[in-house]
Amino acid sequence: MTSRDIILGRVRRALGTPGDPDPEASYEQAVDRSYLREHGTRTTEQTVDLLAGNLADYRAIVHRTDREELPLLLMRLLASSGARTVLVPPALPPGWLAAAHPVRVADRAGSTAADLDEADAVVTGCAVAIAETGTIVLDGGPDQGRRRITLVPDHHICVVRVPDQVVSSVPRALERLDPARPLTWISGPSATSDIELDRVEGVHGPRTLEVVLVTGAD
Amino acid sequence: MSGTFVGMPAFPKAAHEAVGNTTLRANLRHATHTIRDKRAKAVAELDDWARLREAGKQIKDHTLRHLDHYLVRLEEAVTTAGGTVHWAADADEANRIVTGLVKETGESEVVKVKSMATQEIGLNEALEAAGIRAYETDLAELIVQLGKDRPSHILVPAIHRNRGEIRDIFEREMGPWGRPAPEHLTDAPAELAEAARLHLREKFLRAKVGVSGANFMVAETGTLVVVESEGNGRMCLTLPETLISVVGIEKIVPTWRDLEVFLQTLPRSSTAERMNPYTSMWTGTTDGDGPDTFHLVLLDNGRTDTLADDVGRQALRCIRCSACLNVCPVYERAGGHAYGSVYPGPIGAILSPQLRGTASAIDASLPYASSLCGACYEVCPVAIDIPEVLVHLRERVVQGGEFTRHGAKVTLKPARGHAAERAAMRAAGMVFGRPGLLRAGQRLAARTRRVHPRTLPGPGRAWSATRDLPKVPGESFRDWWQRTGGGQEGEA
Ligand code: SF4
């Protein structure tokens, strides 16, 4: 007997009477989903404001701009952090970094983690942003790249297209996301409270997270 | 379970020693009170909390009721997505599987993200015995590992260490493990975190094998979820070529949509945040992004025995948020180590004896490590009635009876040396023996607090004799909760 058989056999004996042959059919009734899809009612503008507030509350640095000003803002953010190199996902809209000075580094299949460690910053888009929790979600789309490029560099600038990419709540975000893609949910820079519960920002992930809320972007 | 804790003294003795340690007590008190107040505020932000909690309970109950079905479904989904699924009936088998998988890669070190399941099975020790070094990468786990220590809290395993002790451990122990601590290290938390960042970074960047647990596994999609704060999880899940995840079979949820409940209740219950800094979700392997080999080891190790107990099985709903630890008057005074298990606090008091049986002195005494005040039940985001299970397990210890061990029915004899407990159980049977009456009992206890003795009679004496009894609050937690709407009045 394989361990698989042993475990499944133990489960069936533990449960006693033979179970429902198709539990998924009865699942709908098994759970009361009367909890809220989102908390409170807001205009689109208020939802974006809430996102900005909650991002800042967890120590992300939030900027607001429009399509025309975006390249200049990104140039300034990179300049003020002193970045000499910036990692670029495969299909970042070309205009975004049009004014930026740092050397652009493409993430190649052969790039090792140590190579990525040389880059000072990374600029990406996102898949969705959640207002109630102050979260941005990356799904590895072409303007975000693979997971490691937003992990190893110490400075992550994430551009959120508002209002299209902003949802109110966690349930609304899950509706939009594809579980087949690798997903990274980010709520503020990495943090630890392991030392006497004092919150310290910036452990292993990027120590600086800047979120740019941009209107009218392509 | 892990050999780490074998030979632990029974709870009353261990608790007595812990209570005498004033540093430990002060650290714990500060920590648990800080988190508990913050948690109440985070929970109060959601006016549908009670409904989310109920939905979480129902999702888990349904899954457990049909666990065989969902395990097979999960296996299919993970396999289709490019992963390989292994089944481990006990700790030894899980350790053998993982050790074999690491050896196949030809590597002699792995990076690990905090996982209770791998602590439970003693994986680090098993790997060490096979010549493989496992590096813990969670800051608290690093402190514990470098300090040659045991974790004492689910979420903050080094909660018993203060900053001065941590600085000393880093200065002394980092060198032998890799990059030494920076010179002139002070005890400022930011500096200590920076020392850990530098120490671990070289390990992340060269790691070829990562080992993790998971908070959730989605049966319909094969998605695994890891919830974390520091980014060490992302490092371990993304940079290595091979990822091995060891996960208890109870961590399944049926559908993708179910995450909408737990991703709201878990962060608020555990770190008291609207959302934790990082959550990673992956489904099998993805071309060119992350590990190209993924192994999932499904762990039983006493879980099916727990499932066989109608009352006790609710412990398998646990999502390891640690809220119950932070409100527990016994945990606050005794500390995590007294529980002699990787699962401390109220959840440990009901989970460890079920996973391991009640044969040892520590496991037989764990169901008594509680004053049955009910605060743990009130905060539990999946509504586990811990007092009910405690009373049930006490009956098992005292009266004996039938239960399941390694998949087979066994009859437990009434425990010797528990004669006093037996008598006390009979006397207390009216209230404690019948869970339905428990709630009324708690309220009664609060209302009659002025006549309460300083030590508990019968089963309670074993631990209450070692320290001052917590004062019974002027109103029960349950009453207070209702009056204040879940602490919205706030104490912080
Ligand atoms: S028993 Fe409940 S409160 Fe305690 S850790 Fe588990 S889920 Fe959290």
Side-chain angles (χ1 to χ4, degrees):
Chain A
M1 241 199 332
T2 64
S3 293
R4 181 182 190 276
D5 297 336
I6 292 172
I7 294 172
L8 288 174
R10 285 178 181 174
V11 170
R12 285 173 191 138
R13 277 200 306 284
L15 294 172
T17 50
D20 185 343
D22 185 13
E24 287 171 50
S26 63
Y27 188 43
E28 195 85 355
Q29 284 82 57
V31 181
D32 176 2
R33 305 266 181 187
S34 66
Y35 52 83
L36 303 172
R37 302 305 295 165
E38 41 193 84
H39 297 85
T41 42
R42 287 175 293 265
T43 62
T44 308
E45 214 168 291
Q46 287 168 326
T47 302
V48 174
D49 288 346
L50 182 66
L51 172 67
N54 283 337
L55 279 164
D57 196 27
Y58 284 162
R59 310 284 194 278
I61 303 165
V62 181
H63 309 274
R64 292 182 167 214
T65 189
D66 59 21
R67 180 196 169 128
E68 282 70 42
E69 295 295 320
L70 178 64
L72 282 173
L73 175 64
L74 291 177
M75 184 267 282
R76 276 205 310 279
L77 297 182
L78 288 165
S80 63
S81 76
R84 282 153 304 149
T85 52
V86 58
L87 261 169
V88 184
L92 198 74
W96 287 11
L97 289 178
H101 303 306
V103 177
R104 274 154 246 191
V105 184
D107 172 37
R108 283 187 214 86
S111 304
T112 63
D115 295 339
L116 299 179
D117 200 26
E118 300 292 307
D120 296 319
V122 57
V123 176
T124 70
C126 74
V128 66
I130 308 168
E132 287 181 8
T133 57
T135 305
I136 51 173
V137 186
L138 309 180
D139 71 354
D143 63 348
Q144 299 150 56
R146 52 182 182 160
R147 285 171 284 176
R148 53 173 56 193
I149 70 167
T150 48
L151 175 62
V152 180
D154 207 13
H155 182 191
H156 179 194
I157 302 176
C158 180
V159 178
V160 182
R161 298 160 173 98
V162 300
D164 296 2
Q165 291 190 313
V166 183
V167 297
S168 279
S169 63
V170 170
R172 295 279 183 236
L174 284 160
E175 287 167 9
R176 282 210 195 178
L177 292 164
D178 175 2
R181 309 184 70 102
L183 302 174
T184 306
W185 297 47
I186 300 173
S187 310
S190 72
T192 182
S193 300
D194 280 352
I195 301 162
E196 293 182 14
L197 295 177
D198 263 11
R199 188 176 163 104
V200 177
E201 264 97 31
V203 195
H204 303 297
R207 281 181 285 192
T208 309
L209 173 68
E210 299 199 78
V211 180
V212 179
L213 306 179
V214 57
T215 51
D218 42 313
Chain B
M1 287 174 82
S2 165
T4 322
F5 298 99
V6 168
M8 275 295 292
F11 186 85
K13 183 162 180 291
H16 176 64
E17 285 159 10
V19 166
N21 180 338
T22 35
T23 312
L24 172 73
R25 282 190 65 166
N27 290 357
L28 272 173
R29 197 187 144 71
H30 170 68
T32 54
H33 281 254
T34 308
I35 312 187
R36 107 167 52 156
D37 296 343
K38 282 207 287 196
R39 179 205 154 272
K41 277 194 199 149
V43 164
E45 276 188 14
L46 300 186
D47 39 21
D48 58 341
W49 185 260
R51 277 175 282 169
L52 285 166
R53 181 180 187 239
E54 186 60 21
K57 169 180 185 275
Q58 290 169 346
I59 290 168
K60 287 282 187 174
D61 277 347
H62 172 89
T63 315
L64 292 169
R65 186 69 197 81
H66 306 284
L67 190 58
D68 50 339
H69 172 86
Y70 287 112
L71 279 167
V72 172
R73 186 86 151 82
L74 175 79
E75 181 188 40
E76 276 167 18
V78 170
T79 310
T80 307
T84 308
V85 177
H86 310 259
W87 301 69
D90 57 25
D92 286 345
E93 187 174 15
N95 287 331
R96 264 200 315 278
I97 293 169
V98 177
T99 308
L101 291 171
V102 178
K103 289 212 148 165
E104 266 172 43
T105 66
E107 294 294 316
S108 59
E109 60 179 47
V110 302
V111 285
K112 273 190 71 195
V113 49
K114 177 164 122 64
S115 133
M116 307 211 61
T118 61
Q119 275 167 34
E120 174 190 321
I121 62 176
L123 178 64
N124 290 6
E125 293 78 8
L127 289 172
E128 197 77 53
I132 298 160
R133 191 149 247 215
Y135 293 110
E136 293 291 353
T137 63
D138 188 79
L139 179 52
E141 295 290 338
L142 177 73
I143 297 166
V144 167
Q145 187 174 44
L146 292 175
K148 302 180 185 69
D149 202 355
R150 292 189 311 262
S152 63
H153 188 279
I154 292 179
L155 190 74
V156 201
I159 206 166
H160 58 291
R161 294 287 196 189
N162 65 28
R163 60 185 74 190
E165 295 175 286
I166 294 169
R167 190 196 73 104
D168 294 346
I169 292 171
F170 279 9
E171 277 205 325
R172 203 173 56 235
E173 304 291 343
M174 271 185 172
W177 282 84
R179 179 170 175 155
E183 274 177 42
H184 313 300
L185 184 66
T186 75
D187 65 1
E191 267 193 50
L192 295 171
E194 170 71 7
R197 175 185 171 94
L198 294 169
H199 178 77
L200 288 172
R201 199 150 184 101
E202 57 163 17
K203 302 201 191 313
F204 289 133
L205 296 185
R206 69 164 191 243
K208 295 280 187 285
V209 183
V211 174
S212 83
N215 296 88
F216 306 101
M217 308 187 280
V218 182
E220 73 170 348
T221 59
T223 308
L224 269 73
V225 182
V226 164
V227 170
E228 55 136 352
S229 295
E230 296 172 14
N232 61 310
R234 290 178 70 192
M235 293 276 180
C236 295
L237 300 168
T238 326
L239 297 183
E241 292 162 7
T242 300
L243 172 61
I244 304 168
S245 301
V246 182
V247 189
I249 53 175
E250 82 283 17
K251 297 279 173 149
I252 299 190
V253 297
T255 67
W256 173 248
R257 185 184 176 185
D258 297 328
L259 295 176
E260 71 190 20
V261 174
F262 299 110
L263 289 180
Q264 295 194 79
T265 53
L266 177 56
R268 288 176 201 261
S269 298
S270 61
T271 48
E273 292 167 303
R274 293 185 196 103
M275 189 60 86
N276 49 289
Y278 295 139
T279 298
S280 295
M281 302 181 182
W282 73 98
T283 304
T285 56
T286 306
D287 269 348
D289 186 352
D292 49 26
T293 307
F294 169 53
H295 295 280
L296 170 60
V297 182
L298 295 172
L299 178 72
D300 178 351
N301 204 35
R303 285 159 177 78
T304 49
D305 294 342
T306 309
L307 188 67
D309 185 319
D310 292 349
V311 178
R313 79 165 55 134
Q314 57 184 305
L316 298 175
R317 292 203 297 259
C318 175
I319 56 173
R320 311 277 189 265
C321 71
S322 71
C324 57
L325 278 63
N326 301 328
V327 296
C328 179
V330 177
Y331 175 83
E332 182 190 319
R333 287 163 180 81
H337 292 153
Y339 294 81
S341 153
V342 296
Y343 302 107
I347 181 61
I350 62 168
L351 198 55
S352 309
Q354 298 200 84
L355 293 179
R356 306 192 292 203
T358 43
S360 75
I362 179 83
D363 286 331
S365 66
L366 278 178
Y368 294 96
S370 167
S371 62
L372 299 180
C373 76
C376 49
Y377 168 69
E378 299 291 347
V379 297
C380 178
V382 284
I384 299 172
D385 195 337
I386 294 177
E388 179 188 6
V389 182
L390 284 166
V391 169
H392 172 73
L393 293 175
R394 284 178 189 188
E395 282 176 337
R396 183 202 274 182
V397 168
V398 172
Q399 292 164 6
E402 209 173 59
F403 76 109
T404 308
R405 193 80 196 111
H406 306 305
K409 286 243 183 326
V410 292
T411 305
L412 191 77
K413 286 206 214 86
R416 286 181 172 200
H418 282 273
E421 283 85 332
R422 207 148 54 235
M425 281 306 286
R426 270 200 301 277
M430 248 294 282
V431 178
F432 291 163
R434 279 191 267 160
L437 294 178
L438 189 60
R439 272 158 230 192
Q442 280 163 231
R443 265 192 295 266
L444 194 66
R447 282 171 197 148
T448 58
R449 71 192 182 285
R450 253 169 264 118
V451 296
H452 276 219
R454 297 297 290 167
T455 56
L456 292 179
R461 189 186 349 248
W463 62 266
S464 64
T466 64
R467 53 170 192 71
D468 293 336
L469 262 184
K471 285 196 202 76
V472 178
E475 61 185 328
S476 80
F477 191 86
R478 203 181 290 269
D479 289 347
W480 167 82
W481 185 270
Q482 261 162 13
R483 182 173 60 76
T484 63
Q488 269 164 318
E489 289 179 2
E491 292 164 26

